[in-house]
Amino acid sequence: MNFATPYDCVMPKRLTLEQRIRKLARRYRAQQRREAAKASRDRSSQRRTASWASTIGLAVLMQFALCSATASTFETANADFVAGRFADAAHGFERVIAEHGYSAPVLFNLGNAWMKTGQPGRAILNYERAWRLAPDDAAIRANLNLARQKAGVAVNKNPFREKVARVSSFDTLAWAIVWAAVLLFAVVVTSRLLPSFPRVVKRGVVVMAAFGVFVAGAGMALQWPERDRAVVLDSNATVQIAPADAAGILFNLPEGETVRAIKSHNSYTLIRLRDGRSGWVKSSAVERVCL
């Protein structure tokens, strides 16, 4: 018996003409299927690209349209203010705020417009809101004090609570506590997973996070009463002994006065003044400063 060595060649099996034709046909059909699948993928990719492009283009156009509409409304309101149409200017600034939210410049302009129309309550309200968003703006602070003087109400001499508010807002302090807690959690988890994590770093981060939480918490506690601040908008606001139309009147409130809105009941709001007096007033006569 003869055994083939590793260097012996194995002769390929000869195919008949019919088998060769079938093999070529199978190869041709497989190539056609591959080309068709590739073309389908290309068309699908082109459609997706075109769809994304049209979507992005539409979004950009809508954004430009919104920005253009906002700029047009804002410019129209400014033009009305310059022309002396202060009520129209105020309504224009209010439309800008309704469409795109609060901003210090628009609130400041809105306060100026209401002040020109002889409504110090609404002017003080919007100056207060603008000052909350931009506590370092000297112009806002000056106009707020001037409006209070013209309305005949007390001008705050920058008490300690307002000094804290100038440093940071209530929401910023709340976020500071959240991020301090996240950092503390991340360090504790990392030190558990990595035994070689430096203890000095862990202790330092824990001390810093605890100090940050304490400071932010103290700031929030000092600013908490400020969240109830409200401004009297009605020049004929009366404080009543109970939340009922037939209740007796305790005293009158000047327009532009700042009070604390404690709670509401039906169409009345319980308010408290700086001197400790309290009572019920129509909810439509006061509006909270907090945005």
Side-chain angles (χ1 to χ4, degrees):
M1 180 179 294
N2 295 327
F3 293 94
T5 65
Y7 301 101
D8 289 338
C9 294
V10 179
M11 296 299 293
K13 182 180 179 180
R14 293 182 177 276
L15 300 177
T16 63
L17 179 60
E18 182 180 358
Q19 290 174 334
R20 292 179 180 178
I21 293 174
R22 289 179 179 178
K23 186 176 182 180
L24 290 174
R26 287 195 297 270
R27 288 182 179 178
Y28 176 77
R29 287 195 295 269
Q31 184 178 1
Q32 290 292 102
R33 286 195 296 269
R34 287 194 297 270
E35 292 179 354
K38 182 180 179 182
S40 178
R41 287 194 299 270
D42 292 342
R43 287 193 298 270
S44 178
S45 177
Q46 290 176 357
R47 285 195 297 269
R48 285 196 297 270
T49 303
S51 177
W52 277 107
S54 61
T55 302
I56 294 173
L58 181 60
V60 171
L61 288 175
M62 290 178 64
Q63 188 64 29
F64 274 123
L66 288 174
C67 291
S68 177
T70 302
S72 176
T73 304
F74 186 74
E75 291 173 358
T76 302
N78 283 331
D80 288 335
F81 186 90
V82 173
R85 297 185 292 271
F86 302 117
D88 293 337
H91 295 314
F93 292 131
E94 286 180 340
R95 284 196 299 272
V96 174
I97 292 173
E99 294 171 0
H100 299 281
Y102 294 101
S103 68
V106 179
L107 287 168
F108 179 69
N109 289 353
L110 179 57
N112 293 338
W114 282 127
M115 197 64 198
K116 289 291 187 179
T117 61
Q119 299 189 49
R122 297 186 182 278
I124 292 172
L125 173 66
N126 288 284
Y127 287 145
E128 287 265 10
R129 288 174 171 175
W131 180 73
R132 289 292 181 273
L133 296 178
D136 294 325
D137 194 309
I140 295 175
R141 186 65 183 171
N143 282 24
L144 175 58
N145 289 335
L146 182 62
R148 286 171 174 168
Q149 290 175 359
K150 289 186 176 181
V153 298
V155 177
N156 291 349
K157 299 300 182 180
N158 202 15
F160 183 70
R161 283 176 183 166
E162 292 196 1
K163 289 182 179 179
V164 174
R166 288 176 66 86
V167 175
S168 185
S169 66
F170 187 91
D171 293 339
T172 303
L173 293 174
W175 276 111
I177 292 178
V178 172
W179 283 113
V182 170
L183 178 62
L184 182 61
F185 177 78
V187 170
V188 171
V189 172
T190 304
S191 63
R192 292 298 183 96
L193 296 177
L194 300 177
S196 60
F197 190 82
R199 291 185 177 181
V200 176
V201 176
K202 178 182 176 181
R203 291 176 181 174
V205 172
V206 170
V207 171
M208 291 177 58
F211 180 75
V213 170
F214 173 76
V215 173
M220 291 177 64
L222 288 172
Q223 291 192 39
W224 186 263
E226 296 296 312
R227 296 180 65 83
D228 295 333
R229 181 194 289 265
V231 178
V232 179
L233 305 180
D234 191 351
S235 58
N236 298 316
T238 57
V239 180
Q240 301 176 202
I241 195 171
D245 295 341
I249 297 176
L250 294 174
F251 53 89
N252 295 329
L253 280 176
E255 183 179 0
E257 181 65 74
T258 302
V259 299
R260 284 189 61 194
I262 300 174
K263 63 179 181 180
S264 298
H265 180 74
N266 294 333
S267 60
Y268 284 85
T269 298
L270 178 63
I271 59 97
R272 179 175 288 117
L273 279 70
R274 296 186 184 90
D275 57 11
R277 291 181 299 168
S278 62
W280 296 88
V281 66
K282 283 282 189 180
S283 297
S284 58
V286 294
E287 187 168 344
R288 293 178 184 267
V289 175
C290 185
L291 302 176

